[in-house]
Amino acid sequence: MAVLVTGATGHLGPHLIAELLASARFDRVFVVARSSGSEPAARRVQAIERIARTSLTARGIQDAGGHVIAIDGTLDGDRLGLSDRDAAHLANQVDVIIHAAADTRFAAPLDVLRRSNADGTRAVCDFAARCARLRQLLFVSTACVAGQRVGRIPEQVVDAPGFVNAYEQTKWEAERIVTASGLPSRIARLTTCVGGHHAGYVHRSGAIHHLLHWIARGLVPMVPGSDESRIDLISTDVAAAWLARVAVQDPVDVDVCHVALGGSAIPLDMLLDHVVTGLARTGSAARVTRPLVVDHETFRSFQAMVRSSGDALFARVQESASAMLPTLLYPKVFETRSAEACWGGPLPHPDWRSLVSMLVAATVERTPALARV
Amino acid sequence: MPDGSVIGVSGVCGTLAAEWRDIDALASDGLLSSAPGVLREFGFNRAHMANPASGAGPLVLAAARAALEDAALSPTDIDLLIWAGARPESHVRPPRGGTSADVFDGFRYQSAWLQEELGLDNADVLAVAQQGCSTMFSALRVARSILISEPSRSHALCVGGDVLPAGASREILYNVISDGACAVVLSRDAMSDRWVGFRQISCGFYADPIERAPEIMAAYFPLARQVILETLDAHGLRPDDIDIVIPTGVNQASWSILTRLVGIPEDRVYRRSESFGHTILADNFIHLHELRRDGLVRPGQRMLLFTYGFGSSWCALVLEH
């Protein structure tokens, strides 16, 4: 079979490509990438493929020899930026589309994120409609579409909740586009992917990594939340493995699955304790104060104080943190029954402590300011 | 061995430089880094400014005399004098001729001068430094420790004050700085403001207030909360047991946040009608003086004093009136 992947140059990319190659179900893996500045799409894709194959070798996994083929394209229109002929040629081959491309900058403006996340998804759906052999459009969404909902979050398409940021909103909009497309589709809502647990590898940093960076620098005195706040962190390897497995399972209807810890999500206080302990063990040069968990009013007052002070670094930290942190005020637990049914049982999440320790070590390693002189 | 005596505040006074200038005038003279509007939002509207040529001596002398009177003590009753100064220059007399060319100028200590000015003929004299705004807290801590360990001593006079040099910026880390001084008499078996507990957290990582300014701002609240809760916990107190929070003069919004973090109702923070800015080390004791003078604290009420000082140290002190 042939699979078309978007977003392979993002955080999930190398992990997903590795799992698709290891699955032995796809002899062709088409990777859509945009040529960037002086770097042609083919070279970008080659780099991703190299990382993927290296990781498989390190894990002692023999990939089945599938071919990774770069497609120099964009998510504009129904031809992915390709010529009519090339688009038709590609559409005739594709059995599965995994649409993982997204702009994950939480603090970006709504119109910017809408162009990438909603309009880009529409373009993929329009292309998918041309794929005569299509068995599944697997849309990589995010659990963040639950927005300001609290409590148990079902694996269903839901009406618009309030949203904490534009990222949440535009991913929800993208889900609506997928469900309205009439295509055989499955929506995979991933919770926060922190990196691969096999090799401790983080391909591209996201909001969680930025936040951890600032905590490691001792610049996050408080986060909003409550006793009920939980953080659902998963290994990117597990997310990729799940996607690769369900890519060959034809959806029955529009399936919605939460690839998540669900009921095992980590209490915020425990996570912060573990992070701070981990940072202390790394011998970081910074002095980390354990962030306090505070109510919304206190957090808002502190942010207002920081804004008024005009301190440039602090303002940067707060801007980075404030796009993501308010989600902690809406404690929720993601149901995972559908995701587990697709997998054939509970997902093989690694122990969260070892995952977080890996994340902490990677953060310190990537932050020169933390190196001891 | 501690003799079980109760140590408390028998006298206190705070003084501010008589002259002051408002925020706009300070800004016009280039003595502020932040916009006046921002500083007003933080609760500041003026800075009290003493004559730099005189140093902190006159302010401290006035506070000390008033504190002795408040304690109903004569100078010869004082067994111990401790001078507290946040800045190195605050420990020596203003140089003769206006510049410190002579090495001996560095030995003309303010504490010795004050002893003579007040006639504290029976006092041992020492000084405390290198704690920024929390220097006075440490002076009191040392005084109390000496009173406990040396039962023959009954009264300690702790004084502190800082005057910024001419042309110095009047803003430090978004706080408007005033020149002021304070004096506190700690006495054995004092009938008011009994010393309940004290705790300090010192962290040399934050030694450089310029290089580590963002980190200090980030650490301020968590460590403030920690030191306050540890002080309360060590003495079997809960946040709700604190009747009055005696603040420093720093950014008023920060006190709202801190009390929420600790769990003390915000309306228990003493707020003066007119802000005097931040006098580096005298704020809490200027406020304590006002509370006692104006009858705003009742017997049995517990007061929490908190400050942060460059170096860095976070200090919490609980007194019971």
Side-chain angles (χ1 to χ4, degrees), chain A residues 218 221 298 301 308-309 311 314, chain B residues 38 41 174 205-206 217-218 260-261:
Chain A
T298 306
S301 298
S308 296
S309 76
D311 184 273
F314 235 141
Chain B
V38 169
E41 257 184 62
Y174 314 107
F205 177 79
Y206 305 107
M217 285 169 65
R260 274 209 287 275
L261 291 176

Side-chain angles (χ1 to χ4, degrees), chain A residues 101-121 165-171 173-174 323:
Chain A
D103 188 336
T104 59
R105 293 173 297 159
F106 284 24
L110 179 61
D111 60 335
V112 169
L113 291 178
R114 194 171 263 157
R115 269 198 297 278
S116 300
N117 297 342
D119 297 346
T121 299
N165 55 53
Y167 171 71
E168 295 182 351
Q169 180 174 344
T170 55
K171 290 296 283 186
E173 291 173 0

Side-chain angles (χ1 to χ4, degrees), chain A residues 217-219 221-222 285-287 289 292 294 297-298 301-302 305 308-309 311 313-314, chain B residues 38 41-42 174 203 205-206 214-215 217-219 221-223 225 251 254 257 260-261:
Chain A
R217 293 267 309 265
L219 293 173
M222 55 188 83
R287 172 86 181 199
T289 42
L292 302 172
V294 303
E297 190 190 346
T298 306
S301 298
F302 176 71
M305 205 177 81
S308 296
S309 76
D311 184 273
L313 176 56
F314 235 141
Chain B
V38 169
E41 257 184 62
F42 288 158
Y174 314 107
C203 189
F205 177 79
Y206 305 107
E215 286 87 349
M217 285 169 65
F221 287 113
L223 289 179
R225 176 181 180 272
N251 180 345
S254 70
I257 295 170
R260 274 209 287 275
L261 291 176

Side-chain angles (χ1 to χ4, degrees), chain A residues 304-315, chain B residues 23 31-45 169-177 209-210 212-218 249-254 275 277-278 310:
Chain A
M305 205 177 81
V306 170
R307 261 196 311 272
S308 296
S309 76
D311 184 273
L313 176 56
F314 235 141
Chain B
I23 294 284
L31 297 181
L32 301 176
S33 329
S34 303
V38 169
L39 295 172
R40 274 196 196 92
E41 257 184 62
F42 288 158
F44 300 109
N45 51 46
S169 169
R170 283 282 160 177
E171 184 185 338
I172 296 176
L173 271 191
Y174 314 107
N175 293 298
V176 174
I177 307 302
I210 298 170
R212 292 263 150 87
E215 286 87 349
I216 290 171
M217 285 169 65
V250 302
N251 180 345
Q252 287 187 18
S254 70
S275 164
H278 177 41
F310 285 145

Side-chain angles (χ1 to χ4, degrees), chain B residues 100-148:
Chain B
S100 310
D102 193 325
V103 70
F104 281 106
D105 276 334
F107 294 101
R108 296 169 62 240
Y109 299 127
Q110 292 275 39
S111 54
W113 167 82
L114 186 68
Q115 180 186 29
E116 180 63 13
E117 284 294 310
L118 286 174
L120 306 177
D121 296 336
N122 296 322
D124 288 351
V125 178
L126 54 101
V128 175
Q130 298 193 20
Q131 280 199 242
C133 308
S134 63
T135 311
M136 188 66 183
F137 279 59
S138 283
L140 293 173
R141 179 190 188 185
V142 168
R144 174 184 174 266
S145 296
I146 291 175
L147 290 178
I148 287 176

